[in-house]
Amino acid sequence: MQGIIDIHCHILPGIDDGAETVKEAQEMLKMQYKDGVRKLILTPHYRPGMFEPSVSQIYRSYYQLQAAAEDVGIQLYLGREYHISSKFEEQVRLRNLPTMADSSYVLAEFSSRHSYGFIRSSVEKMLDAGYRPVIAHIERYPCMYEKQRAEELCRMGAYVQINAGSLLGEDDRPSRQYCRRLMEDDLIHFIASDAHGRKKRKPNLGKCSEFVLKKMGKEYARKVLCHNPFMLIKNLEIK
Ligand SMILES: [Fe+2]
């Protein structure tokens, strides 16, 4: 499938546990292009105590990668994968959360230990502050394995992202089953690669788009892989 937009990947070199060098990042971009990806949002981790690169480090790496991306034929946007930590309360109160592609969408990552109550109240706080929270790889949180909880978060105004690898069964079986159930119930807004390298956790949206096309048809595949990501980049509301 052509024209895919990957909204979650760790290709920005030397910033987190993703691509280590510009060369590796360039190879990952080539893999993405082969998979049909034409735009992507770079989402390095923001996680206090673990990944706290400065804004200038991020921009330096981003400008370094831009020329390579132009050669490959992929348009880059900048975002963050924002881990909900002890700094969250203050940052959301100050309306100071890192967003994706200069939009109001925040790619929010939780810990697998967080309770559903905590996730729901964090979502509420982001919505109250005017953000559009996207729950990063929802299948990673055991407390979400009750379908009505995902439904409730969507009703509140949150968006759901799953990883292509989970849907394809590259992780564990429960996460594959959960992703397939969410997909069949139309509770997913985005499927992204969350790619971290060219060998391990590599770009996989080509294989995944084939799978989604076969299972759900063209209209659905375009919605979760192209249309919704496009609306995000344009900062438009996804209905
Ligand atoms: Fe990630």
Side-chain angles (χ1 to χ4, degrees):
M1 206 165 95
Q2 300 282 305
I4 296 172
I5 304 175
D6 190 6
I7 68 148
H8 180 174
C9 61
H10 300 265
I11 299 183
L12 199 62
I15 293 295
D16 60 4
D17 56 347
E20 286 178 13
T21 59
V22 177
K23 192 172 179 295
E24 183 178 21
Q26 193 167 16
E27 282 177 38
M28 289 172 77
L29 289 175
K30 284 180 187 164
M31 292 164 86
Q32 291 271 33
Y33 188 90
K34 250 191 216 159
D35 281 344
V37 175
R38 294 296 178 268
K39 297 178 199 289
L40 59 82
I41 308 179
L42 302 156
T43 52
H45 292 286
Y46 173 88
R47 189 167 181 169
M50 209 185 266
F51 302 107
E52 273 183 289
S54 68
V55 173
S56 68
Q57 274 175 303
I58 287 179
Y59 272 97
R60 210 175 311 135
S61 181
Y62 180 58
Y63 293 134
Q64 264 185 330
L65 193 60
Q66 241 168 1
E70 267 168 40
D71 288 345
V72 174
I74 289 189
Q75 197 174 348
L76 300 180
Y77 298 85
L78 202 48
R80 300 300 289 275
E81 179 175 10
Y82 177 74
H83 189 86
I84 306 289
S85 69
S86 54
K87 290 192 178 176
F88 169 68
E89 293 284 336
E90 194 191 349
Q91 286 177 328
V92 76
R93 190 169 45 78
L94 297 172
R95 291 192 163 79
N96 198 22
L97 302 187
T99 66
M100 304 162 81
D102 291 324
S103 72
S104 54
Y105 288 86
V106 174
L107 184 62
E109 182 194 35
F110 293 88
S111 146
S112 57
R113 297 183 316 274
H114 281 142
S115 68
Y116 176 61
F118 179 82
I119 294 180
R120 193 182 49 203
S121 78
S122 306
V123 161
E124 219 160 41
K125 284 172 191 158
M126 286 187 268
L127 290 166
D128 286 347
Y131 293 107
R132 292 175 171 135
V134 178
I135 316 289
H137 35 60
I138 197 167
E139 73 277 12
R140 293 252 188 99
Y141 320 125
C143 70
M144 291 306 308
Y145 278 48
E146 281 178 42
K147 206 187 75 187
Q148 63 272 26
R149 293 182 169 179
E151 279 170 348
E152 184 177 45
L153 294 184
C154 291
R155 262 201 315 275
M156 285 165 62
Y159 298 93
V160 169
Q161 181 253 311
I162 62 162
N163 282 1
S166 307
L167 184 63
L168 291 170
E170 289 168 6
D171 294 331
D172 53 53
R173 210 164 135 216
S175 71
R176 185 192 70 182
Q177 283 170 336
Y178 177 62
C179 286
R180 293 189 184 182
R181 227 176 51 229
L182 287 181
M183 185 168 79
E184 280 154 17
D185 292 337
D186 200 13
L187 284 169
I188 295 167
H189 300 91
F190 306 99
I191 302 176
S193 73
D194 196 9
H196 276 69
R198 76 193 142 94
K199 289 197 178 126
K200 228 178 100 206
R201 299 177 74 187
K202 58 187 183 192
N204 54 4
L205 286 176
K207 196 171 158 195
C208 184
S209 61
E210 294 295 313
F211 176 80
V212 178
L213 270 171
K214 206 171 95 195
K215 284 264 175 209
M216 303 293 290
K218 195 175 170 186
E219 196 181 325
Y220 181 89
R222 292 207 72 80
K223 181 173 78 169
V224 294
L225 290 160
C226 311
H227 177 73
N228 288 348
F230 178 79
M231 298 292 275
L232 183 156
I233 284 175
K234 295 286 175 194
N235 199 23
L236 296 170
E237 190 187 354
I238 298 163
K239 305 251 173 162

